[in-house]
mmCIF file of all heavy atoms in Angstrom:
data_model
loop_
_atom_site.group_PDB
_atom_site.id
_atom_site.type_symbol
_atom_site.label_atom_id
_atom_site.label_comp_id
_atom_site.label_asym_id
_atom_site.label_seq_id
_atom_site.Cartn_x
_atom_site.Cartn_y
_atom_site.Cartn_z
ATOM 1 N N VAL A 998 103.612 118.465 102.497
ATOM 2 C CA VAL A 998 103.245 118.552 103.905
ATOM 3 C C VAL A 998 102.968 117.175 104.491
ATOM 4 O O VAL A 998 103.463 116.830 105.564
ATOM 5 C CB VAL A 998 102.021 119.461 104.094
ATOM 6 C CG1 VAL A 998 101.597 119.500 105.557
ATOM 7 C CG2 VAL A 998 102.321 120.861 103.584
ATOM 8 N N SER A 999 102.166 116.392 103.788
ATOM 9 C CA SER A 999 101.815 115.065 104.264
ATOM 10 C C SER A 999 101.293 114.233 103.111
ATOM 11 O O SER A 999 100.736 114.762 102.155
ATOM 12 C CB SER A 999 100.754 115.150 105.367
ATOM 13 O OG SER A 999 100.482 113.876 105.915
ATOM 14 N N CYS A 1000 101.457 112.930 103.217
ATOM 15 C CA CYS A 1000 100.897 112.028 102.219
ATOM 16 C C CYS A 1000 100.574 110.694 102.858
ATOM 17 O O CYS A 1000 101.130 110.329 103.893
ATOM 18 C CB CYS A 1000 101.843 111.831 101.031
ATOM 19 S SG CYS A 1000 103.378 110.939 101.380
ATOM 20 N N ILE A 1001 99.670 109.976 102.216
ATOM 21 C CA ILE A 1001 99.339 108.623 102.637
ATOM 22 C C ILE A 1001 99.155 107.780 101.385
ATOM 23 O O ILE A 1001 98.517 108.203 100.420
ATOM 24 C CB ILE A 1001 98.084 108.603 103.546
ATOM 25 C CG1 ILE A 1001 97.798 107.185 104.043
ATOM 26 C CG2 ILE A 1001 96.869 109.192 102.838
ATOM 27 C CD1 ILE A 1001 96.777 107.154 105.174
ATOM 28 N N SER A 1002 99.734 106.589 101.405
ATOM 29 C CA SER A 1002 99.670 105.708 100.256
ATOM 30 C C SER A 1002 98.420 104.849 100.297
ATOM 31 O O SER A 1002 97.706 104.787 101.300
ATOM 32 C CB SER A 1002 100.910 104.810 100.215
ATOM 33 O OG SER A 1002 100.892 103.876 101.277
ATOM 34 N N THR A 1003 98.168 104.174 99.185
ATOM 35 C CA THR A 1003 97.104 103.176 99.174
ATOM 36 C C THR A 1003 97.381 102.131 100.240
ATOM 37 O O THR A 1003 98.534 101.758 100.493
ATOM 38 C CB THR A 1003 97.003 102.501 97.806
ATOM 39 O OG1 THR A 1003 98.289 102.003 97.416
ATOM 40 C CG2 THR A 1003 96.506 103.469 96.747
ATOM 41 N N TYR A 1004 96.334 101.684 100.879
ATOM 42 C CA TYR A 1004 96.396 100.678 101.942
ATOM 43 C C TYR A 1004 97.207 101.137 103.147
ATOM 44 O O TYR A 1004 97.524 100.332 104.017
ATOM 45 C CB TYR A 1004 96.950 99.349 101.407
ATOM 46 C CG TYR A 1004 96.214 98.863 100.190
ATOM 47 C CD1 TYR A 1004 96.778 98.975 98.925
ATOM 48 C CD2 TYR A 1004 94.938 98.309 100.300
ATOM 49 C CE1 TYR A 1004 96.090 98.551 97.802
ATOM 50 C CE2 TYR A 1004 94.243 97.882 99.183
ATOM 51 C CZ TYR A 1004 94.827 98.004 97.937
ATOM 52 O OH TYR A 1004 94.144 97.583 96.816
ATOM 53 N N GLY A 1005 97.532 102.389 103.222
ATOM 54 C CA GLY A 1005 98.291 102.914 104.346
ATOM 55 C C GLY A 1005 99.686 102.349 104.463
ATOM 56 O O GLY A 1005 100.237 102.295 105.569
ATOM 57 N N ILE A 1006 100.267 101.925 103.344
ATOM 58 C CA ILE A 1006 101.612 101.367 103.371
ATOM 59 C C ILE A 1006 102.613 102.366 103.932
ATOM 60 O O ILE A 1006 103.540 102.002 104.654
ATOM 61 C CB ILE A 1006 102.022 100.898 101.966
ATOM 62 C CG1 ILE A 1006 101.171 99.690 101.558
ATOM 63 C CG2 ILE A 1006 103.505 100.537 101.910
ATOM 64 C CD1 ILE A 1006 101.337 99.291 100.102
ATOM 65 N N SER A 1007 102.421 103.624 103.606
ATOM 66 C CA SER A 1007 103.274 104.655 104.165
ATOM 67 C C SER A 1007 102.458 105.899 104.472
ATOM 68 O O SER A 1007 101.504 106.218 103.766
ATOM 69 C CB SER A 1007 104.429 104.997 103.224
ATOM 70 O OG SER A 1007 103.954 105.552 102.009
ATOM 71 N N VAL A 1008 102.833 106.560 105.530
ATOM 72 C CA VAL A 1008 102.278 107.859 105.896
ATOM 73 C C VAL A 1008 103.463 108.750 106.235
ATOM 74 O O VAL A 1008 104.270 108.398 107.097
ATOM 75 C CB VAL A 1008 101.317 107.770 107.090
ATOM 76 C CG1 VAL A 1008 100.748 109.144 107.406
ATOM 77 C CG2 VAL A 1008 100.206 106.776 106.821
ATOM 78 N N ASN A 1009 103.566 109.859 105.571
ATOM 79 C CA ASN A 1009 104.728 110.726 105.749
ATOM 80 C C ASN A 1009 104.306 112.151 106.058
ATOM 81 O O ASN A 1009 103.260 112.626 105.603
ATOM 82 C CB ASN A 1009 105.591 110.716 104.484
ATOM 83 C CG ASN A 1009 106.202 109.362 104.205
ATOM 84 O OD1 ASN A 1009 106.830 108.773 105.082
ATOM 85 N ND2 ASN A 1009 106.020 108.860 102.990
ATOM 86 N N TYR A 1010 105.150 112.821 106.832
ATOM 87 C CA TYR A 1010 104.921 114.208 107.189
ATOM 88 C C TYR A 1010 106.198 115.011 107.043
ATOM 89 O O TYR A 1010 107.300 114.522 107.304
ATOM 90 C CB TYR A 1010 104.440 114.339 108.634
ATOM 91 C CG TYR A 1010 103.074 113.773 108.893
ATOM 92 C CD1 TYR A 1010 102.918 112.469 109.340
ATOM 93 C CD2 TYR A 1010 101.935 114.546 108.700
ATOM 94 C CE1 TYR A 1010 101.659 111.948 109.576
ATOM 95 C CE2 TYR A 1010 100.678 114.031 108.937
ATOM 96 C CZ TYR A 1010 100.541 112.724 109.377
ATOM 97 O OH TYR A 1010 99.285 112.217 109.618
ATOM 98 N N LEU A 1011 106.030 116.246 106.636
ATOM 99 C CA LEU A 1011 107.117 117.201 106.699
ATOM 100 C C LEU A 1011 107.565 117.324 108.151
ATOM 101 O O LEU A 1011 106.732 117.390 109.062
ATOM 102 C CB LEU A 1011 106.619 118.549 106.166
ATOM 103 C CG LEU A 1011 107.576 119.714 106.090
ATOM 104 C CD1 LEU A 1011 108.651 119.464 105.042
ATOM 105 C CD2 LEU A 1011 106.796 120.991 105.756
ATOM 106 N N ASP A 1012 108.864 117.355 108.375
ATOM 107 C CA ASP A 1012 109.381 117.372 109.742
ATOM 108 C C ASP A 1012 108.768 118.482 110.590
ATOM 109 O O ASP A 1012 108.456 118.279 111.764
ATOM 110 C CB ASP A 1012 110.899 117.516 109.736
ATOM 111 C CG ASP A 1012 111.617 116.234 109.382
ATOM 112 O OD1 ASP A 1012 110.981 115.166 109.404
ATOM 113 O OD2 ASP A 1012 112.819 116.303 109.086
ATOM 114 N N SER A 1013 108.587 119.639 110.007
ATOM 115 C CA SER A 1013 108.119 120.782 110.769
ATOM 116 C C SER A 1013 106.655 120.686 111.192
ATOM 117 O O SER A 1013 106.204 121.477 112.019
ATOM 118 C CB SER A 1013 108.346 122.075 109.988
ATOM 119 O OG SER A 1013 107.614 122.084 108.780
ATOM 120 N N VAL A 1014 105.906 119.726 110.643
ATOM 121 C CA VAL A 1014 104.502 119.583 111.020
ATOM 122 C C VAL A 1014 104.231 118.304 111.798
ATOM 123 O O VAL A 1014 103.090 118.085 112.233
ATOM 124 C CB VAL A 1014 103.561 119.656 109.801
ATOM 125 C CG1 VAL A 1014 103.867 120.888 108.957
ATOM 126 C CG2 VAL A 1014 103.636 118.388 108.955
ATOM 127 N N LYS A 1015 105.235 117.482 112.002
ATOM 128 C CA LYS A 1015 105.038 116.237 112.743
ATOM 129 C C LYS A 1015 104.529 116.523 114.150
ATOM 130 O O LYS A 1015 105.046 117.391 114.844
ATOM 131 C CB LYS A 1015 106.344 115.446 112.805
ATOM 132 C CG LYS A 1015 106.730 114.796 111.496
ATOM 133 C CD LYS A 1015 108.025 114.008 111.628
ATOM 134 C CE LYS A 1015 108.381 113.328 110.324
ATOM 135 N NZ LYS A 1015 109.681 112.608 110.409
ATOM 136 N N GLY A 1016 103.526 115.780 114.541
ATOM 137 C CA GLY A 1016 102.920 115.980 115.846
ATOM 138 C C GLY A 1016 101.857 117.049 115.873
ATOM 139 O O GLY A 1016 101.139 117.177 116.878
ATOM 140 N N ARG A 1017 101.740 117.812 114.805
ATOM 141 C CA ARG A 1017 100.752 118.884 114.739
ATOM 142 C C ARG A 1017 99.689 118.645 113.669
ATOM 143 O O ARG A 1017 98.543 119.050 113.838
ATOM 144 C CB ARG A 1017 101.427 120.227 114.468
ATOM 145 C CG ARG A 1017 102.442 120.632 115.528
ATOM 146 C CD ARG A 1017 102.905 122.071 115.334
ATOM 147 N NE ARG A 1017 103.594 122.262 114.060
ATOM 148 C CZ ARG A 1017 103.190 123.085 113.094
ATOM 149 N NH1 ARG A 1017 102.077 123.805 113.247
ATOM 150 N NH2 ARG A 1017 103.895 123.209 111.978
ATOM 151 N N PHE A 1018 100.064 118.006 112.566
ATOM 152 C CA PHE A 1018 99.157 117.776 111.448
ATOM 153 C C PHE A 1018 98.853 116.286 111.327
ATOM 154 O O PHE A 1018 99.715 115.443 111.598
ATOM 155 C CB PHE A 1018 99.777 118.244 110.136
ATOM 156 C CG PHE A 1018 99.913 119.735 109.976
ATOM 157 C CD1 PHE A 1018 99.741 120.605 111.036
ATOM 158 C CD2 PHE A 1018 100.228 120.257 108.726
ATOM 159 C CE1 PHE A 1018 99.877 121.968 110.878
ATOM 160 C CE2 PHE A 1018 100.364 121.626 108.550
ATOM 161 C CZ PHE A 1018 100.194 122.485 109.621
ATOM 162 N N THR A 1019 97.648 115.975 110.879
ATOM 163 C CA THR A 1019 97.248 114.597 110.653
ATOM 164 C C THR A 1019 96.508 114.481 109.334
ATOM 165 O O THR A 1019 95.544 115.218 109.101
ATOM 166 C CB THR A 1019 96.342 114.081 111.783
ATOM 167 O OG1 THR A 1019 97.009 114.211 113.042
ATOM 168 C CG2 THR A 1019 95.995 112.610 111.560
ATOM 169 N N ILE A 1020 96.948 113.555 108.493
ATOM 170 C CA ILE A 1020 96.258 113.291 107.236
ATOM 171 C C ILE A 1020 95.337 112.092 107.420
ATOM 172 O O ILE A 1020 95.671 111.146 108.132
ATOM 173 C CB ILE A 1020 97.266 113.047 106.089
ATOM 174 C CG1 ILE A 1020 96.558 113.004 104.733
ATOM 175 C CG2 ILE A 1020 98.086 111.784 106.324
ATOM 176 C CD1 ILE A 1020 97.514 113.015 103.546
ATOM 177 N N SER A 1021 94.173 112.129 106.794
ATOM 178 C CA SER A 1021 93.232 111.024 106.899
ATOM 179 C C SER A 1021 92.405 110.923 105.625
ATOM 180 O O SER A 1021 92.307 111.877 104.854
ATOM 181 C CB SER A 1021 92.328 111.172 108.116
ATOM 182 O OG SER A 1021 91.548 112.350 108.043
ATOM 183 N N ARG A 1022 91.805 109.761 105.445
ATOM 184 C CA ARG A 1022 91.028 109.475 104.241
ATOM 185 C C ARG A 1022 89.659 108.936 104.639
ATOM 186 O O ARG A 1022 89.547 108.110 105.557
ATOM 187 C CB ARG A 1022 91.794 108.439 103.404
ATOM 188 C CG ARG A 1022 91.174 108.045 102.093
ATOM 189 C CD ARG A 1022 91.726 106.711 101.559
ATOM 190 N NE ARG A 1022 93.138 106.498 101.767
ATOM 191 C CZ ARG A 1022 94.070 106.541 100.806
ATOM 192 N NH1 ARG A 1022 93.727 106.822 99.554
ATOM 193 N NH2 ARG A 1022 95.337 106.294 101.115
ATOM 194 N N ASP A 1023 88.622 109.374 103.964
ATOM 195 C CA ASP A 1023 87.276 108.872 104.170
ATOM 196 C C ASP A 1023 86.840 108.213 102.871
ATOM 197 O O ASP A 1023 86.428 108.886 101.928
ATOM 198 C CB ASP A 1023 86.323 109.998 104.557
ATOM 199 C CG ASP A 1023 84.945 109.502 104.942
ATOM 200 O OD1 ASP A 1023 84.498 108.461 104.419
ATOM 201 O OD2 ASP A 1023 84.297 110.163 105.773
ATOM 202 N N SER A 1024 86.936 106.894 102.829
ATOM 203 C CA SER A 1024 86.642 106.163 101.607
ATOM 204 C C SER A 1024 85.186 106.321 101.176
ATOM 205 O O SER A 1024 84.895 106.456 99.992
ATOM 206 C CB SER A 1024 86.964 104.682 101.797
ATOM 207 O OG SER A 1024 88.344 104.489 102.047
ATOM 208 N N ALA A 1025 84.275 106.299 102.134
ATOM 209 C CA ALA A 1025 82.855 106.375 101.820
ATOM 210 C C ALA A 1025 82.501 107.681 101.125
ATOM 211 O O ALA A 1025 81.641 107.712 100.251
ATOM 212 C CB ALA A 1025 82.029 106.193 103.085
ATOM 213 N N LYS A 1026 83.151 108.765 101.522
ATOM 214 C CA LYS A 1026 82.884 110.073 100.934
ATOM 215 C C LYS A 1026 83.815 110.408 99.780
ATOM 216 O O LYS A 1026 83.634 111.441 99.126
ATOM 217 C CB LYS A 1026 82.996 111.157 101.999
ATOM 218 C CG LYS A 1026 81.928 111.079 103.073
ATOM 219 C CD LYS A 1026 82.062 112.238 104.047
ATOM 220 C CE LYS A 1026 80.967 112.213 105.088
ATOM 221 N NZ LYS A 1026 81.080 113.338 106.036
ATOM 222 N N ASN A 1027 84.807 109.566 99.546
ATOM 223 C CA ASN A 1027 85.825 109.830 98.536
ATOM 224 C C ASN A 1027 86.475 111.199 98.775
ATOM 225 O O ASN A 1027 86.659 112.007 97.858
ATOM 226 C CB ASN A 1027 85.242 109.751 97.125
ATOM 227 C CG ASN A 1027 86.251 109.236 96.110
ATOM 228 O OD1 ASN A 1027 86.945 108.249 96.354
ATOM 229 N ND2 ASN A 1027 86.326 109.898 94.956
ATOM 230 N N MET A 1028 86.828 111.433 100.032
ATOM 231 C CA MET A 1028 87.449 112.679 100.441
ATOM 232 C C MET A 1028 88.655 112.394 101.326
ATOM 233 O O MET A 1028 88.770 111.310 101.902
ATOM 234 C CB MET A 1028 86.465 113.555 101.223
ATOM 235 C CG MET A 1028 85.256 114.005 100.434
ATOM 236 S SD MET A 1028 84.084 114.964 101.437
ATOM 237 C CE MET A 1028 85.077 116.416 101.828
ATOM 238 N N PHE A 1029 89.536 113.355 101.435
ATOM 239 C CA PHE A 1029 90.587 113.266 102.430
ATOM 240 C C PHE A 1029 90.823 114.620 103.070
ATOM 241 O O PHE A 1029 90.365 115.655 102.569
ATOM 242 C CB PHE A 1029 91.870 112.622 101.884
ATOM 243 C CG PHE A 1029 92.589 113.373 100.800
ATOM 244 C CD1 PHE A 1029 93.735 114.102 101.097
ATOM 245 C CD2 PHE A 1029 92.165 113.302 99.479
ATOM 246 C CE1 PHE A 1029 94.435 114.750 100.092
ATOM 247 C CE2 PHE A 1029 92.863 113.951 98.469
ATOM 248 C CZ PHE A 1029 93.994 114.674 98.776
ATOM 249 N N TYR A 1030 91.550 114.589 104.205
ATOM 250 C CA TYR A 1030 91.598 115.734 105.091
ATOM 251 C C TYR A 1030 93.004 115.984 105.603
ATOM 252 O O TYR A 1030 93.852 115.106 105.618
ATOM 253 C CB TYR A 1030 90.678 115.498 106.299
ATOM 254 C CG TYR A 1030 89.289 115.080 105.915
ATOM 255 C CD1 TYR A 1030 88.964 113.734 105.794
ATOM 256 C CD2 TYR A 1030 88.304 116.026 105.659
ATOM 257 C CE1 TYR A 1030 87.687 113.346 105.432
ATOM 258 C CE2 TYR A 1030 87.030 115.646 105.293
ATOM 259 C CZ TYR A 1030 86.724 114.313 105.182
ATOM 260 O OH TYR A 1030 85.457 113.927 104.817
ATOM 261 N N LEU A 1031 93.213 117.198 106.046
ATOM 262 C CA LEU A 1031 94.415 117.542 106.776
ATOM 263 C C LEU A 1031 93.994 118.306 108.026
ATOM 264 O O LEU A 1031 93.536 119.443 107.935
ATOM 265 C CB LEU A 1031 95.365 118.390 105.929
ATOM 266 C CG LEU A 1031 96.705 118.719 106.583
ATOM 267 C CD1 LEU A 1031 97.558 117.460 106.709
ATOM 268 C CD2 LEU A 1031 97.449 119.788 105.779
ATOM 269 N N GLN A 1032 94.139 117.671 109.169
ATOM 270 C CA GLN A 1032 93.861 118.310 110.439
ATOM 271 C C GLN A 1032 95.127 119.005 110.917
ATOM 272 O O GLN A 1032 96.168 118.365 111.049
ATOM 273 C CB GLN A 1032 93.396 117.282 111.465
ATOM 274 C CG GLN A 1032 92.093 116.603 111.115
ATOM 275 C CD GLN A 1032 91.733 115.503 112.097
ATOM 276 O OE1 GLN A 1032 92.518 114.588 112.343
ATOM 277 N NE2 GLN A 1032 90.538 115.600 112.664
#
């Protein structure tokens, strides 16, 4: 569905979710999300 690399070198989305889904990372909490 979506991925993000270390240092944000790449962020990719499945075509069908582009513009609708957002991946993010919270370093302080050691968590990540899919909105």
Side-chain angles (χ1 to χ4, degrees):
V998 177
S999 185
C1000 68
I1001 183 167
S1002 69
T1003 52
Y1004 307 104
I1006 292 171
S1007 64
V1008 181
N1009 295 308
Y1010 293 93
L1011 182 68
D1012 283 346
S1013 62
V1014 309
K1015 287 181 178 177
R1017 300 190 297 119
F1018 290 12
T1019 303
I1020 190 170
S1021 61
R1022 182 199 322 252
D1023 187 330
S1024 297
K1026 294 183 177 180
N1027 213 46
M1028 297 177 65
F1029 65 103
Y1030 309 91
L1031 184 69
Q1032 296 175 305

